[in-house]
Each structure stands twice: as C-alpha cells, then as structure tokens.
Amino acid sequence: MRVAFAYIGAEVLGIEILSAQLKQRGHEVQLFYDPSLFDDKAIFSMPSLHRIFDIRPRMIEDLVAFNPDIVGFSVLTNTYQWSLEVAEIVKRRLGVPIIFGGVHPTVVPELVIKRPEVDIINLGEGYESFPELVSAIERGQDYHNIRNLWVKDGDTIIRNEIRPTFHDLDALPYPDKALFGEYLDVGSIYLMITGIGCPYRCTFCSNDLLMDLYDGKGRYIRRRSVDDVIAELVQAKAKYRLRMVKFVDDIFTLNMRWLEEFAERYPREVGVPYYALSHPDHINDKSARLLKASGCHRLELGVQSVNEETKRVILDRPETKEQMAKAFACLEKHGIHYLINHMFGIPTEGEAQQREAARFYADFRPSRIGSYYLKYLPRTRIADIAAEQGLIGLQDIREFEQGYFATVHSTENIDRDLLRVFKNHETLNLLMPLLPRWINRRLANSRIVTAFHWVPSFVRTLLDVFGAAVHNDHETRLFALYYFKMAFKVIGIKMGLNDRLGMRDPMPE
C-alpha cells in the first residue's frame, strides 16, 4: 500500500517511527513537506514574505501525483488549520481515507471527527493502531473496531476504546530518518527520544489531559534501555555524520540509574555533543556532574515563572525558588550551558512578578532566557482559570479549539498595558545573558527597563541571534542556515531552476 504523510515546518519523530513500522511491513511511504517559510505556525508569522515563498500548492500536486491509498496528518493545535486546508483538497481530488492523529485530535476528538475532510482520528499513541489500520485497508478487512480509532461509518461515528500504553519501547524500530532527510539535514541536529511521559501536570500543558486519557491503561512513563539508545546513535553516526544530538524527552534526567549508565557509555561509544530538556526538580550536583561527563552541551529548563504563588496556584508546579537556584548553581558549577524558558501572559502576573523574575535571573548566568507567550491550548486547566478570571471568553475558547493562533511570540488576549510590561522584560531577558551580573542586578531594579518596549522587534531578533553566536548556540545557527537553504531551494523552484524541494544535496556549509 502507498501511505502519504503531510506535515509542516519541522521534523517529527512520531511520523518517522510510524514510517519505519510501515516499511517493515512492506508498505511504500512518502512524506510531503511544506516548509511554510515565514508562516511556520511556531516561530515566524510574516504574511507578506510567506506569500512570496509559499509552495504548498506544489506540495499538494506532488502528493496527488503519488496517488496514495491513505493520507496521514500528525496534528498540533497550531497546525490544525493547515492540516484541514490540505486535507480538504486531497480528499476532494483523491477520495482516499484521511486520518488525523496527534495531540490536537486526541484532546478535542468530537470536534475533529465532525470535519468532512477527516474520516478517521487516532487518539493517543499510534504505534499499534495505525499499522493495524493500514494492514486492514490493504487486505480489504473491516477496520471500524480498531482500538484508539474513531471512525466514520456513514452518518455514524464509531468511538473505540483506548488500548493500554505501549510498554516495550525497545521493540519499536529506529525512526525512518530518510523520510525527513529528503528535506532536512538530519545529522546536523539528530532528534531522538529515549522515553515517553512526564510525571507533572502543569496546567498549561496537554500532558495533563494525556495522563487522564491513559489512567488505568498501564505505565504512563516509559523509557528505552541505554543499550537501545546507544545502538541507534552508533548506527546514525555512521549513516548521517552526526554533529549534534537533541534528546526531546520531557525530562532527560528523570532516572538517575539510567543516567549513570548513559554517562559511562555515551562519550566512549557515541561522543557527539548533545542537547536535552529537564526540570529544576531533577537537577542536583550528581545529575549535573553526569550530564557534563556524558557530553551535554546545553540543557533546557522549563521555568515559566519564578513566583512561588503563581507556580503553586496557577501552574500547578511544585518547585520553589530555592530549588531553582540550586539547579542553576549546579549547572554553572559543572560548566553546562543552560537555557531558561520564561512565559509571559500567565493569569495574575504583571509588573511585580516580572521584576521578581529579573532580580532572580540577575544572580545567574544562563546562556539564554527564552521568552514566549502563553497559549491556551484546548481543554487545559489554565484556560479554565483564565475564563474564570474574565481574561478570555467563550468565543476565544472556540477559536483556540479550532487552532486560531499564530506563534509562540504572538500576543492575542493580552491587555495593552500589560503587553508593554512584557515587551520591556522580553528585551531585558535577551540582554541579561550578554551582560555582567553587576549590570543585570542594576537593570533589574532600574526604571530604565520601563522604556524597553520601544525597542523594535527586529532589534530584539538581532539580540537573540547575537546571543546565540556569543554562547555557541548550534541550534539557533542551524535554524537560520535551514531558512537560508530552504529559501534558496524555493526560489529555484519558482524560477524553474529546480524541480524538487529536497535537501539531499544541500549547499556547502
């Protein structure tokens, strides 16, 4: 069978794993990728530039020419509208089954399955349900009762139960990197996951809803063996000329025994610098030492707010300022670059809480303070909190459920006076990693910051890029290089110089 995946803007491990499973079963799989430059549904939203570089119609023509038997979409809330628009055209022209999976269909299935473009949705994990569906279609068998799927049968919607979590992650094939490797240099930053699940129930995160979905369905937090992780990386190192690895686990340092074995083997058998994500509660002197010994180049920490009342009452996060301070100090002691994620727009937070954060950050040396704006993801508890406080209304909630918001930097639903405060501190957050601590401490208590909202957005972007260069931020540099290369390819296609978007023969670095 021919299986097509359509996606926008970034590499996705979930699609790569499904592709590997399908190819093991003899199916032909093809990815149709829309770079959607300057409207990537995550970082940039520049409509005038996007119109120049838009090649989605070409992508759709290529997909139709492939003539698949089924088309799959992995859907986030911010990519939902793009997915619907592509699915509508494909459905009209090919008439083949369209399946939506991913977080968004999982949290609002009753809205997604009503769409005429969508025939099937996959709730939760698809490691077993999607290959089972494809095999059933190939054999001409009934697929309406496959667990994890909601399926249309005429005017009826069949809602099947959720199967238990998939426990043996080592049994999954290695991701099919060739799928996105057609368009991206997957060796420049090799995306990898060693475990699934997060133990925290942050109110702004869909993980809270997934934990409810899988309640009573088996172990939610699962991890691959170190053996399996190292084996994949050794193979990938030989095949893709790895320069950096990025582990996208929610909390890489969750299991100390696992980390000890990893730290002993990774430098010797792989030896490539890596990025990872963690949580302040799971960073201490021992874990920081193991991260450094294993070759961690940078650690990303979700902080969101330093105000303990906000964390406890609004975000449902347990860590204290003392715990955050200890985590930062341990990382600095062992020479690990770290990035702090700071969130603007949290209900109840204003000038006082941003000043508190600035004073706290001024005592440390993060390589970057990444600022972004709260997005009310569908059915999250923080959306309920905001609605109770009158910050958002029913129409806003409906728009969020339909995926109508732009990027992590867009500022919907924020009061104008508050927005000035947030822009002041967004600029300060960009400056602090570049300045000495004594200047940061003065700025954190200075009225000068109240004028920083006048700094133009392009200057903030330049500060971000300059900071990335100063701190040797490989990821930001490669993101800029990716945009340049992809823009070059798109221009070539539009001028008739290239007939394909693929990056298999990229421009020399």
Side-chain angles (χ1 to χ4, degrees):
M1 256 184 71
R2 287 188 163 194
V3 180
F5 289 104
Y7 201 71
I8 176 175
E11 181 184 355
V12 181
L13 282 169
I15 291 177
E16 292 176 339
I17 293 171
L18 292 176
S19 176
Q21 290 180 298
L22 294 172
K23 287 182 177 179
Q24 281 183 339
R25 291 161 171 79
H27 302 296
E28 184 180 354
V29 183
Q30 183 68 49
L31 171 71
F32 297 89
Y33 178 74
D34 179 7
S36 198
L37 297 179
F38 304 105
D39 186 23
D40 54 24
K41 313 303 179 187
I43 306 297
F44 292 118
S45 179
M46 303 177 183
S48 57
L49 276 176
H50 174 65
R51 283 192 289 272
I52 296 172
F53 288 93
D54 183 21
I55 59 166
R56 184 172 63 177
R58 170 64 180 269
M59 182 211 79
I60 293 172
E61 290 302 320
D62 290 345
L63 193 161
V64 170
F66 178 63
N67 195 27
D69 299 294
I70 185 172
V71 182
F73 293 79
S74 180
V75 186
L76 301 172
T77 298
N78 54 311
T79 65
Y80 180 49
Q81 286 299 315
W82 178 92
S83 301
L84 287 176
E85 290 164 7
V86 174
E88 189 276 328
I89 298 172
V90 172
K91 185 70 177 175
R92 174 163 36 87
R93 295 184 60 180
L94 294 178
V96 298
I98 303 287
I99 179 169
F100 275 26
V103 176
H104 190 76
T106 297
V107 299
V108 286
E110 71 285 356
L111 297 181
V112 177
I113 196 64
K114 289 179 181 177
R115 297 291 309 199
E117 309 93 333
V118 180
D119 302 295
I120 309 164
I121 59 173
N122 190 113
L123 280 71
E125 298 170 0
Y127 304 129
E128 296 171 284
S129 50
F130 189 62
E132 188 178 338
L133 169 67
V134 173
S135 294
I137 293 174
E138 181 183 41
R139 296 166 184 163
Q141 297 173 344
D142 180 61
Y143 55 80
H144 290 85
N145 296 314
I146 295 174
R147 290 180 297 174
N148 284 40
L149 302 186
W150 283 19
V151 185
K152 286 178 180 172
D153 184 10
D155 295 330
T156 302
I157 297 171
I158 300 172
R159 298 168 171 83
N160 294 296
E161 67 171 329
I162 297 294
R163 68 182 72 208
T165 54
F166 189 89
H167 283 176
D168 187 7
L169 300 186
D170 285 4
L172 292 173
Y174 300 152
D176 177 17
K177 291 289 180 175
L179 201 68
F180 279 90
E182 177 73 19
Y183 305 97
L184 311 170
D185 181 2
V186 296
S188 60
I189 297 183
Y190 186 87
L191 289 189
M192 186 176 192
I193 193 163
T194 75
I196 296 175
C198 175
Y200 295 98
R201 286 181 170 269
C202 301
T203 60
F204 56 86
C205 182
S206 298
N207 182 68
D208 188 31
L209 301 165
L210 295 177
M211 290 179 79
D212 288 339
L213 180 73
Y214 280 104
D215 186 32
K217 294 290 185 178
R219 191 168 68 249
Y220 181 66
I221 298 172
R222 294 145 286 159
R223 198 154 202 182
R224 297 166 66 183
S225 68
V226 174
D227 281 343
D228 193 52
V229 169
I230 296 295
E232 178 186 338
L233 287 169
V234 168
Q235 183 184 98
K237 187 178 179 181
K239 190 173 183 179
Y240 296 110
R241 195 170 65 87
L242 302 190
R243 279 86 83 201
M244 186 73 69
V245 176
K246 183 173 183 178
F247 295 105
V248 296
D249 307 45
D250 291 308
I251 305 176
F252 188 69
T253 55
L254 193 60
N255 184 308
M256 192 64 68
R257 184 176 298 177
W258 189 97
L259 188 61
E260 287 175 340
E261 183 183 351
F262 175 84
E264 190 275 325
R265 295 184 57 185
Y266 183 87
R268 174 165 41 86
E269 300 180 49
V270 182
V272 177
Y274 72 86
Y275 296 156
L277 290 74
S278 191
H279 186 287
D281 265 359
H282 294 274
I283 297 297
N284 53 36
D285 190 72
K286 183 177 181 180
S287 61
R289 175 173 53 80
L290 291 171
L291 287 168
K292 182 65 174 179
S294 61
C296 180
H297 178 74
R298 190 185 75 182
L299 195 70
E300 185 173 334
L301 293 172
V303 170
Q304 283 74 49
S305 170
V306 305
N307 183 270
E308 292 184 2
E309 183 175 3
T310 296
K311 281 183 170 292
R312 185 180 63 256
V313 177
I314 305 297
L315 303 181
D316 196 8
R317 289 181 63 110
E319 73 271 18
T320 64
K321 288 173 74 172
E322 181 182 3
Q323 288 171 306
M324 287 187 286
K326 287 181 178 178
F328 296 171
C330 288
L331 294 171
E332 292 180 10
K333 173 185 173 182
H334 291 280
I336 297 174
H337 295 287
Y338 63 100
L339 180 155
I340 295 169
N341 282 328
H342 181 88
M343 183 187 288
F344 293 117
I346 300 172
T348 74
E349 287 220 329
E351 173 73 29
Q353 289 78 15
Q354 301 311 319
R355 285 282 182 181
E356 180 185 3
R359 294 185 185 110
F360 183 77
Y361 295 150
D363 288 333
F364 300 97
R365 298 300 297 161
S367 61
R368 187 181 182 193
I369 304 172
S371 303
Y372 61 101
Y373 288 80
L374 170 65
K375 295 292 171 265
Y376 294 107
L377 297 175
R379 311 291 163 86
T380 53
R381 284 184 288 151
I382 203 164
D384 295 335
I385 292 169
E388 289 170 4
Q389 296 182 7
L391 300 175
I392 59 175
L394 182 59
Q395 183 59 34
D396 296 315
I397 291 172
R398 288 173 177 166
E399 289 183 0
F400 300 147
E401 291 177 343
Q402 294 297 334
Y404 287 117
F405 56 72
T407 73
V408 294
H409 301 299
S410 58
T411 55
E412 309 96 333
N413 309 102
I414 295 180
D415 174 82
R416 183 176 297 178
D417 292 335
L418 266 181
L419 184 57
R420 282 196 291 268
V421 170
F422 296 153
K423 289 297 180 183
N424 289 336
H425 286 271
E426 184 180 348
T427 305
L428 179 60
N429 287 351
L430 289 167
L431 286 170
M432 292 180 92
L434 300 171
L435 300 173
R437 292 190 198 201
W438 68 269
I439 293 180
N440 286 336
R441 287 166 179 155
R442 290 193 177 186
L443 280 175
N445 292 286
S446 170
R447 298 300 299 171
I448 294 173
V449 175
T450 61
F452 281 3
H453 63 274
W454 291 108
V455 174
S457 59
F458 79 89
V459 174
R460 285 196 291 270
T461 300
L462 290 175
L463 280 172
D464 201 10
V465 172
F466 180 67
V470 168
H471 293 287
N472 192 26
D473 185 344
H474 184 70
E475 189 171 21
T476 300
R477 182 181 71 83
L478 283 174
F479 182 74
L481 186 62
Y482 158 79
Y483 249 74
F484 173 71
K485 287 181 176 180
M486 194 59 78
F488 183 85
K489 288 282 187 179
V490 168
I491 291 170
I493 288 173
K494 288 187 173 266
M495 293 179 64
L497 302 176
N498 297 328
D499 62 357
R500 59 187 293 273
L501 185 63
M503 301 288 280
R504 189 167 286 160
D505 299 309
M507 296 171 55
E509 297 187 14

